[in-house]
Every structure is written in C-alpha cells, then in structure tokens.
Amino acid sequence: MDLLNYAFMQRALLAAVLVGITAPAVGIYLVQRRQALMGDGIGHVAMTGVGLGFLLSWSPVWMATAVSVLGAVLMELIRWYGRTRGDIALAMLFYGGMAGGVMFINLAPSGSNANLTSYLFGSLSTVSESDVTAICLLAAFVVLITLGLRRQLFAVSQDEEFARVTGLPVRALNLLTAVTAAVTVTVAMRVVGLLLVSALMVVPVAAAQQLSRSFAATFAIAVAIGVTVTIGGTVTSYYQDVPPGATIVLLTIGAFIALTALAAPLARRRARAAAGAGTATDPLECSIPAGRPSGDEVGV
C-alpha cells in the first residue's frame, strides 16, 4: 500500500488504531450508565483547551486534556449536587466551552478557524509526531483503566447502590470514568474530531450488543468494530480525499445497521434451537420458563 510510504499516513494510521481501541473501551461503560452523550459534552469543553493551547503556544492536545478532565469532573459534581438546576449548569458548561474555544483561537497570533476545524472534524495531514506521542501515552492510560478496573467499573455502571453496599468507592470510580472519557476525547480529536467522537464511543458498543449479551464479548466486539472502522475510514479518506471523521462515523453507523440486520435472523434461529432442545429433553409439564440471563451471560 503506497500510503504507508508517507510519514503522515503512518502517524494517522497509528492514531486511528489507538482511537479505535480506546473509544469503545470507554463507551461501553457510558452506555451502561446511560450517559451516551457524555463524550459529546466533553468534546465541547475540550474546544476551550484547544483554543488556549494556540493562545498560550502550548500543545493543544495536552491543554485540551487538562481542560477536558476539569470539565468532566465538573460534570460529575453537577450530576451529584445539581438536582433541578443541573441541566442548566451543564448547558452553560457545554456551550461556554465551545464559545471559549472559538474566542481563544481567534485571539491567538497563530490561530485561525482552519486550525479549529481540523480539531472539530479531524485531519490526517496535521497529526504530528508530538501528537502521536501524546496520543500513545493517553491511550495507554485509558486501556490500563478500562481493562484493569473492568470489574469495578462494570459493577458501578450496572447498579451504583449495590456497588456501594459491597464497599466499592462509587464516587471515586464515577470520577475515574469521567476522567477516562475526557482523556479518550482528546485521544480521538485528531482523527475523528471533537464533534464526532461521541459516535465512535457509543455506536460500536450498540452494534456489538446486537450480537452478544456478555459484557466481555461485547467489549471485544466493540473494540474490533472500532479498529476496523477507524482504519477503513482513514484509508478511504486518503484515497478518496474525503473528511476522515465523517467517513469513520458513517462506516460505524453502517456497521451498526449491518449487524442489526444480521442479528434478527440469528436470534430467531437460536430461539428455535433452544425451543427444540427443551422439547426433546424436558417433559411438557416440567418445562422451565425463560428468566433473566445468568451471571455467565452478562459477566465480566
């Protein structure tokens, strides 16, 4: 493949693989917590970090990481204490982050709307060596948290009250999930863009859930989908000269539609097989009605 002869494409493909791994790895916990749009909100806040990076002549990736983490912590605090005013506070945080990014980048001597657009929607040609270094370090943090603490994060995502009764530090784990999501947003912004990253965190998980009820299998399938669509979108963007972020998201949605269409007949076939096996082995009067899935089916 001739695209591998170019250093900028080598950097872009490496970043795409890391994004494909990290976004679904965090997204599966957000989907379980019913916070699918959290990544979108953090992306708005991260714009302020990008603008500050240009204004202060610091790395936009690292500055966006710092601002995103701060925004994620504020979002969790608002969720805990905001109550009736929480929605208003979150709206101010999200739109204030977007407005701050536009303002700061226009005040920066080297900033322009073109610079901001590359962070909003992704850009292959602008992924630098320093960006790749930052993305690698941040992705390693995300993978370490999402795999190393998967049992604890899954427990809190499923039922906070039960997790609290078992002695887990629920608030600390919620904060860690929010911080990890913020880091993932900044990992993905150079490839997918801040405004589209939430789709890559959520849609691969939703697609994987069409095929599996097991948390571990869903995690693995979602990551596989994420890596496939990010690489496919990056390669397509190079050859067809189309925006990488939009291409990746459209491929992700296409994967969801395809797996949804595939899952329906498979589910019917499994149901018929299970019904046939039950009829062959159990007397009619002793048949057991279907119940909730076992721990092995949804276990971590």
Side-chain angles (χ1 to χ4, degrees), residues 86-124:
D87 289 345
I88 297 175
L90 287 174
M92 292 174 62
L93 181 65
F94 296 164
Y95 297 121
M98 182 181 291
V102 174
M103 181 62 70
F104 288 141
I105 204 164
N106 279 279
L107 291 176
S110 60
S112 67
N113 288 331
N115 296 131
L116 186 59
T117 300
S118 69
Y119 285 90
L120 291 178
F121 302 104
S123 176
L124 295 178

Side-chain angles (χ1 to χ4, degrees), residues 19-259:
V19 170
I21 295 171
T22 55
V26 174
I28 192 168
Y29 300 108
L30 299 182
V31 170
Q32 293 288 335
R33 288 155 55 100
R34 293 177 175 81
Q35 294 180 331
L37 295 180
M38 185 177 186
D40 188 52
I42 295 175
H44 285 67
V45 176
M47 290 175 60
T48 292
V50 172
L52 278 174
F54 279 99
L55 181 64
L56 301 176
S57 298
W58 291 351
S59 168
V61 174
W62 288 113
M63 182 60 73
T65 301
V67 173
S68 296
V69 168
L70 178 60
V73 172
L74 287 175
M75 288 170 64
E76 276 300 302
L77 293 176
I78 291 170
R79 189 170 73 90
W80 295 343
Y81 304 114
R83 294 182 173 85
T84 57
R85 297 284 182 175
D87 289 345
I88 297 175
L90 287 174
M92 292 174 62
L93 181 65
F94 296 164
Y95 297 121
M98 182 181 291
V102 174
M103 181 62 70
F104 288 141
I105 204 164
N106 279 279
L107 291 176
S110 60
S112 67
N113 288 331
N115 296 131
L116 186 59
T117 300
S118 69
Y119 285 90
L120 291 178
F121 302 104
S123 176
L124 295 178
S125 61
T126 58
V127 180
S128 65
E129 291 185 6
S130 61
D131 289 336
V132 171
T133 300
I135 289 171
C136 288
L137 292 174
L138 295 171
F141 168 80
V142 172
V143 171
L144 181 65
I145 296 299
T146 55
L147 289 181
L149 296 176
R150 63 188 183 279
R151 295 183 182 275
Q152 294 88 336
L153 294 176
F154 176 78
V156 173
S157 300
Q158 285 292 101
D159 190 334
E160 287 191 7
E161 292 302 322
F162 177 77
R164 187 175 289 109
V165 169
T166 61
L168 289 176
V170 172
R171 287 195 172 181
L173 289 170
N174 281 335
L175 276 176
L176 185 59
T177 301
V179 168
T180 308
V183 171
T184 303
V185 168
T186 55
V187 168
M189 68 180 182
R190 303 300 279 135
V191 176
V192 185
L194 292 172
L195 296 184
L196 299 175
V197 62
S198 185
L200 196 58
M201 298 170 76
V202 173
V203 180
V205 177
Q209 287 177 334
Q210 306 302 311
L211 300 180
S212 174
R213 297 170 66 190
S214 162
F215 179 84
T218 300
F219 188 103
I221 295 171
V223 169
I225 293 171
V227 172
T228 301
V229 297
T230 50
I231 293 177
T234 301
V235 172
T236 302
S237 177
Y238 172 77
Y239 284 112
Q240 301 298 323
D241 192 24
V242 290
T247 305
I248 290 170
V249 171
L250 290 175
L251 287 177
T252 309
I253 295 173
F256 172 80
I257 294 172
L259 291 178

